[in-house]
Amino acid sequence: MSDALPVVYLARHGGTAWTISRQHTGVTDLPLTAQGEAEAVRLAERLKGLTFAAVLTSPLQRAVRTCELAGFGSAAEVEPDLLEWNYGAYEGRTSADIRAERPDWRLFRDGCPGGESPDQIGARADRVVRRVRAIDGNALLFSSGHFLRVFAARWLGLDPGAGRYFLLGTASLSAVGYEHDRAEPVIRLWDELPHEWRIGPGAGASGGEGTTMSTKKLAGTSG
């Protein structure tokens, strides 16, 4: 393999109708909105000039279309393990609605009835981690917010539930890699947005919940 330490770029898909309504969108195969497509096009500007040894996408159309509009459709391979969290009985519901009947519910701790537990989605993330770490070069992944948050946690060796700390906006770009060697996984970039910075309800945060969206750069340099 190359002596250069590889970087894995993580692209969240553009917005959908349920992003706006804050509904949990797991296996429901929604298309991008017009705004979501515009976000993906602007993501292409951020990725321009970068080359990848592998491009992998969730099979859901919101991720596939984002990949296409970002300029990597012809290079992408569908990876089923990149599917969003299966929300089971909570599919299509908002967090506010769920907590009205279950006040203590937390996705990253409790999972979803009839859907996936944190450990189950963590196992999927582990398979993707192993796959991309075996690639000789940089990789680019297109997926959904909650899956990518769990992926980041597992990349760092944290419990799947630690994904709750890594907020992602729609069509955001993040990157994980290493510091001195492959025994030191790090986050190099997090939640960089190709669209305008904005704050407030309906801003497109992961899982359909409107919260702050901002650009957060975590440098992966030494010292």
Side-chain angles (χ1 to χ4, degrees):
M1 298 177 70
S2 169
D3 290 335
L5 293 173
V7 176
V8 181
Y9 288 81
L10 313 176
R12 187 188 172 199
H13 62 76
T16 70
W18 283 10
T19 304
I20 299 169
S21 59
R22 309 185 205 177
Q23 293 169 260
H24 286 285
T25 319
V27 297
T28 302
D29 201 9
L30 296 180
L32 299 180
T33 61
Q35 176 63 29
E37 293 209 349
E39 291 171 353
V41 169
R42 287 193 285 273
L43 180 59
E45 298 170 4
R46 176 63 183 85
L47 290 166
K48 186 177 181 179
L50 297 177
T51 58
F52 300 97
V55 178
L56 305 176
T57 181
S58 161
L60 294 172
Q61 64 174 311
R62 57 189 183 270
V64 171
R65 182 61 174 157
T66 299
C67 176
E68 291 171 350
L69 292 172
F72 293 91
S74 62
E77 177 184 348
V78 170
E79 170 51 73
D81 278 332
L82 288 173
L83 279 166
E84 177 58 303
W85 200 313
N86 184 338
Y87 301 120
Y90 292 161
E91 182 77 8
R93 299 182 65 183
T94 67
S95 291
D97 178 42
I98 297 165
R99 288 175 184 149
E101 63 182 44
R102 190 178 171 186
D104 293 334
W105 177 74
R106 295 292 182 270
L107 174 65
F108 286 97
R109 182 192 65 198
D110 304 322
C112 302
E116 287 181 297
S117 68
D119 285 344
Q120 286 173 320
I121 191 170
R124 287 203 284 117
D126 286 348
R127 290 195 292 268
V128 179
V129 167
R130 288 193 295 269
R131 179 172 181 182
V132 297
R133 282 182 171 165
I135 293 169
D136 187 7
N138 296 342
L140 173 61
L141 310 182
F142 288 87
S143 187
S144 301
H146 281 146
F147 177 84
L148 290 176
R149 292 168 68 173
V150 173
F151 177 91
R154 296 304 299 144
W155 180 268
L156 297 175
L158 304 175
D159 289 340
R164 67 188 181 276
Y165 298 120
F166 303 119
L167 189 66
L168 283 174
T170 52
S172 59
L173 184 65
S174 303
V176 298
Y178 306 94
E179 188 169 9
H180 301 104
D181 57 43
R182 292 171 188 265
E184 298 183 10
V186 296
I187 291 177
R188 298 182 58 88
L189 175 76
W190 195 256
D191 197 30
E192 184 181 71
L193 302 174
H195 41 297
E196 68 273 12
W197 184 81
R198 60 196 184 200
I199 297 177
S206 176
E209 301 174 40
T211 78
T212 302
M213 293 176 66
S214 60
T215 300
K216 309 172 188 70
K217 295 184 180 181
L218 303 181
T221 53
S222 302

